Amino acid sequence: MLKQNFQLKLGQKLAPQQIQLMKLIQLHTLEFEEELEREIEENPALERTENKEEETYEAPSADLENEGSESIDTDFDVNDYMYDDEPAYKSTSNNYSADDEEFDNQSLLTEGQSLYDYLLEQIRLANIEDQDLIIAEYIIGNLDNDGYLRREIKSLVDDMAFSQGLYTSIENVTDILVNYVQKLDPTGVGARNLQECLLLQIEKKVTADKSVMLAADILRSQFDALTNKHYNKIIQKFDIDEDDLKDALEEIGKLNPRVGGNYDTQTITINNEIIPDFTIKVIDNGDKPADVIPMLNSKNAPTLRVSHEYKEILSTYSHDKKSKEHKQAALFIKQKLDAAKWYIDAITQRQNTLMQTINAIVKLQKEYFLTGDDKSLKPMILKDIADITGFDISTISRVVKSKYADTPNGILYLKDLFSDSLTNDEGEEVSTKEIKTYLMEAIDVENKRKPLTDDALVKILKEKGYNIARRTIAKYREQLSIPVARLRKEL
C-alpha cells in the first residue's frame, strides 16, 4: 500500500511512481477517466468490473529455478495477486455520481476542440492555394488565447524564412490575414488590436440601422475618445444628441473584445462535459444545525481488479520450472500484475487524498456552503488545508487545481474558495474576498454619471470597518477587472 503523503526533504527527488501518483491526483474527473481507460488498454492484467463477487484461486508454487548463466528474478507469490475482497477505496470513500441522481444545479462546464484546431478546420476548407494555406496556418498558430495576432507581420515573415524556408512578403502575409484568417469564425479573430477586433464584428452586421452605423463610425474615427469616455467630443464630432450616442454605445457593448476567451484555455464548448469532481450537500436537521456533506463523484472511484485470465495464466506458467520460455512469460505476467496492483493502490491513494482535502475545506468553509454568501468565506490558504490533512502544500495545490464542486449555489471552482486575510477595526481576520464583495457592491450602486473614485471607495470601506489604503483598493479593483472611475462613466 502506498504511503498517505510524501514529505520531501530539500533537494529530494520524487521516484517515478510517486510522480505518476502526483499526476493522478491532479487530474479532474474527465481527465482521470481518460487516463484510466488508457491504463486498462495498455495493461491487460488490469480490468474494470461491476461485479463485487470474486472467484477464489488455488495458489500454485511460484519457486521458478534459474537456468544457465541467465539470471531471471521470478521469486513471487501468486497469492499476492488474488483480490478476493472489495478494494479498500470502495468501502472507505464517500462516493457520488452524477448518474446516481440529477444535479440540483443543471449547469455544466464543458470543454472540447481547441480554438487552434477549430480555425485550422475552417481554413483547410477554404479555397486557398497551397503556399498561402501554409502561411495562413502559421498565422493561426501565432494567435494568442484571446484570438489576437499580437506579433508584427514582419516578425512572422522573418520566422517563416528562417524556420521553414518559406520566403514571402509583408504585403502577402497581410493580405492572407485580412482576406482569409479574419474571415473565420468567431468574428473578430485575427485582429491586431482591440479597435480592429470590434470593427470586424460591427462591420459584419449588414444593416442600415442608424445606431449600428454610428457605432461603426465611432470605432473607426473616434476610438481614442471612446476608450477615454470623452462623450462630449463624440457628440460634437457627429452632431448627434445624447440618446443617439447611448444607442450606439449599446451596440458597441454587444461586441466581444475577447473572441477567443470563450474557448477556456483555448477550448471550445462542443462535446465533453466536465462533471464536477465533488458534490457538496446541505442536510437540514430541523431544529439542529444543518450538516454539510462533501461527496466524491463515483466516476473517480471505479471498481478495478487484477484480471482473472492473467492470474490463471500465471498459475499455469509458475508450475513449469523447466521451460525457459515459460519462465520469461511468467516474469512478463508478474510485471503486468505488479503494475496492476500498484495502479489500484494509487487510485486508493487518490481517492483518500481528494476526500481528506475536501473534508478539510468544508470544515473551514461550512458557513459559506450553508449561506452561499461570499461574505461568509473565511480566509483560507493552501497551508491551512495542509495543516489539517497532514499533506504537503504542493499536494493540496494539485488537488484543488482544475477541480470543481457542485454546491447548492452552483458549480464552484475550488481555487475560488482560497483567499488571503486582512484584519478589520475589531481585530478580526477577514477574507479579502469579503472585502472585494463590498467593493463590487459599492460600485454596482454608484451613480454611473459620477462614478466613485478610489479615494471615495476607501471612505466607504472604512465606514464598514475596513481600514484599507487606496493602492490596495486599486489592486483589488484591477483583480476584479473593474476599470478606474473615469472609464466607468456612463451617459
Side-chain angles (χ1 to χ4, degrees):
M1 181 66 65
L2 298 171
K3 291 184 178 180
Q4 291 294 315
N5 187 23
F6 296 115
Q7 297 292 347
L8 297 180
K9 297 179 180 179
L10 185 63
Q12 182 180 351
K13 293 184 179 180
L14 285 170
Q17 286 189 333
Q18 293 173 326
I19 293 174
Q20 186 177 351
L21 174 60
M22 291 298 101
K23 289 180 179 179
L24 283 175
I25 288 173
Q26 187 167 308
L27 300 178
H28 63 63
T29 299
L30 278 186
E31 290 174 332
F32 174 69
E33 282 193 292
E34 293 171 359
E35 158 63 23
L36 178 62
E37 291 304 320
R38 280 195 297 269
E39 186 70 22
I40 291 175
E41 184 177 344
E42 293 175 3
N43 187 354
L46 180 69
E47 62 184 21
R48 189 199 296 265
T49 177
E50 300 300 330
N51 185 6
K52 296 181 180 180
E53 295 182 359
E54 298 279 352
E55 299 178 25
T56 303
Y57 288 82
E58 180 182 353
S61 172
D63 281 332
L64 302 184
E65 297 176 357
N66 293 333
E67 190 172 283
S69 59
E70 190 178 44
S71 175
I72 303 177
D73 180 12
T74 54
D75 184 17
F76 58 90
D77 187 349
V78 179
N79 277 317
D80 291 341
Y81 305 98
M82 302 299 178
Y83 273 88
D84 294 325
D85 299 323
E86 185 177 16
Y89 61 82
K90 298 300 291 183
S91 58
T92 59
S93 295
N94 192 0
N95 300 316
Y96 175 80
S97 171
D99 300 328
D100 296 339
E101 60 179 271
E102 293 185 2
F103 283 139
D104 294 331
N105 185 321
Q106 291 296 327
S107 61
L108 290 171
L109 303 167
T110 58
E111 70 172 359
Q113 183 182 30
S114 69
L115 174 62
Y116 173 74
D117 290 334
Y118 182 53
L119 296 175
L120 285 186
E121 282 186 2
Q122 296 178 68
I123 199 66
R124 288 167 181 169
L125 293 174
N127 184 18
I128 183 172
E129 296 181 359
D130 291 344
Q131 180 166 310
D132 289 347
L133 175 60
I134 296 173
I135 295 173
E137 291 178 346
Y138 194 81
I139 293 173
I140 290 172
N142 279 273
L143 301 182
D144 66 11
N145 287 3
D146 293 333
Y148 285 87
L149 179 64
R150 305 288 188 183
R151 301 189 63 195
E152 295 291 333
I153 299 294
K154 185 178 184 303
S155 297
L156 299 184
V157 172
D158 292 341
D159 284 353
M160 283 186 281
F162 284 113
S163 64
Q164 299 191 21
L166 195 160
Y167 297 93
T168 183
S169 64
I170 293 176
E171 293 74 20
N172 188 39
V173 174
T174 303
D175 180 69
I176 294 171
L177 170 67
V178 172
N179 294 311
Y180 289 100
V181 176
Q182 291 184 354
K183 303 296 184 185
L184 302 177
D185 180 63
T187 304
V189 74
R192 286 160 285 187
N193 52 55
L194 176 60
Q195 181 181 15
E196 187 174 35
C197 178
L198 299 179
L199 272 172
L200 287 170
Q201 295 174 64
I202 200 73
E203 289 173 350
K204 192 172 183 179
K205 294 186 176 184
V206 181
T207 176
D209 186 275
K210 179 182 176 181
S211 59
V212 174
M213 295 176 66
L214 177 59
D217 288 339
I218 292 173
L219 289 173
R220 287 191 197 96
S221 63
Q222 294 296 309
F223 187 73
D224 287 341
L226 173 67
T227 55
N228 289 292
K229 298 204 172 185
H230 294 158
Y231 295 136
N232 289 333
K233 181 179 179 181
I234 297 174
I235 289 173
Q236 293 174 5
K237 171 68 177 178
F238 294 104
D239 192 21
I240 56 177
D241 58 32
E242 192 171 288
D243 288 337
D244 291 332
L245 180 56
K246 282 183 179 179
D247 292 340
L249 293 179
E250 184 177 347
E251 291 297 329
I252 294 173
K254 296 176 183 177
L255 307 178
N256 187 355
R258 298 178 61 246
V259 294
N262 295 330
Y263 301 68
D264 187 26
T265 62
Q266 286 200 327
T267 58
I268 182 172
T269 58
I270 294 180
N271 296 320
N272 299 326
E273 297 174 350
I274 294 183
I275 301 171
D277 307 87
F278 306 95
T279 294
I280 310 297
K281 290 286 186 180
V282 175
I283 309 299
D284 186 2
N285 294 323
D287 296 336
K288 298 180 180 179
D291 291 324
V292 180
I293 309 297
M295 293 176 283
L296 181 65
N297 189 316
S298 65
K299 292 180 181 293
N300 287 293
T303 304
L304 299 176
R305 69 180 182 189
V306 175
S307 167
H308 284 169
E309 181 180 358
Y310 254 54
K311 288 188 289 188
E312 289 177 343
I313 295 173
L314 176 63
S315 178
T316 300
Y317 283 161
S318 62
H319 280 296
D320 188 348
K321 300 182 180 181
K322 295 182 180 180
S323 170
K324 179 180 178 181
E325 290 77 13
H326 280 195
K327 285 167 45 179
Q328 291 175 330
L331 178 60
F332 171 80
I333 295 170
K334 175 185 179 296
Q335 292 171 342
K336 291 297 181 183
L337 292 171
D338 283 339
K341 279 170 57 67
W342 181 89
Y343 199 78
I344 292 173
D345 285 345
I347 291 177
T348 303
Q349 167 67 1
R350 181 178 186 270
Q351 313 322 314
N352 291 337
T353 303
L354 264 59
M355 280 307 302
Q356 289 186 53
T357 300
I358 195 65
N359 278 323
I361 290 173
V362 167
K363 179 180 179 180
L364 289 181
Q365 301 294 357
K366 181 177 180 179
E367 187 65 25
Y368 168 75
F369 289 115
L370 289 174
T371 64
D373 187 351
D374 283 348
K375 296 171 187 172
S376 301
L377 277 172
K378 293 183 178 180
M380 183 175 73
I381 59 177
L382 295 176
K383 185 178 183 301
D384 295 330
I385 304 302
D387 289 343
I388 294 174
T389 61
F391 295 138
D392 189 77
I393 292 177
S394 62
T395 300
I396 302 301
S397 176
R398 287 181 170 89
V399 172
V400 302
K401 182 178 181 181
S402 302
K403 303 292 193 311
Y404 293 84
D406 183 27
T407 78
N409 304 294
I411 292 178
L412 177 73
Y413 185 36
L414 285 188
K415 288 194 74 173
D416 288 342
L417 294 172
F418 291 80
S419 66
D420 293 327
S421 65
L422 287 176
T423 303
N424 62 15
D425 288 347
E426 297 178 359
E428 299 173 336
E429 282 197 349
V430 295
S431 168
T432 54
K433 285 186 177 291
E434 177 180 332
I435 299 170
K436 290 177 182 178
T437 299
Y438 281 118
L439 183 63
M440 287 190 292
E441 288 178 351
I443 292 174
D444 285 342
V445 299
E446 70 183 358
N447 180 353
K448 296 305 179 184
R449 283 182 170 271
K450 192 176 180 181
L452 296 168
T453 64
D454 288 349
D455 286 329
L457 291 169
V458 167
K459 293 179 181 178
I460 291 174
L461 288 175
K462 188 173 183 179
E463 291 173 359
K464 294 183 178 294
Y466 306 109
N467 192 13
I468 303 173
R470 188 179 68 83
R471 64 177 180 274
T472 305
I473 291 291
K475 180 180 74 172
Y476 289 169
R477 181 175 47 72
E478 290 172 1
Q479 290 174 351
L480 293 168
S481 298
I482 298 174
V484 296
R486 175 173 53 82
L487 297 182
R488 299 199 306 272
K489 183 178 180 181
E490 297 177 6
L491 294 175

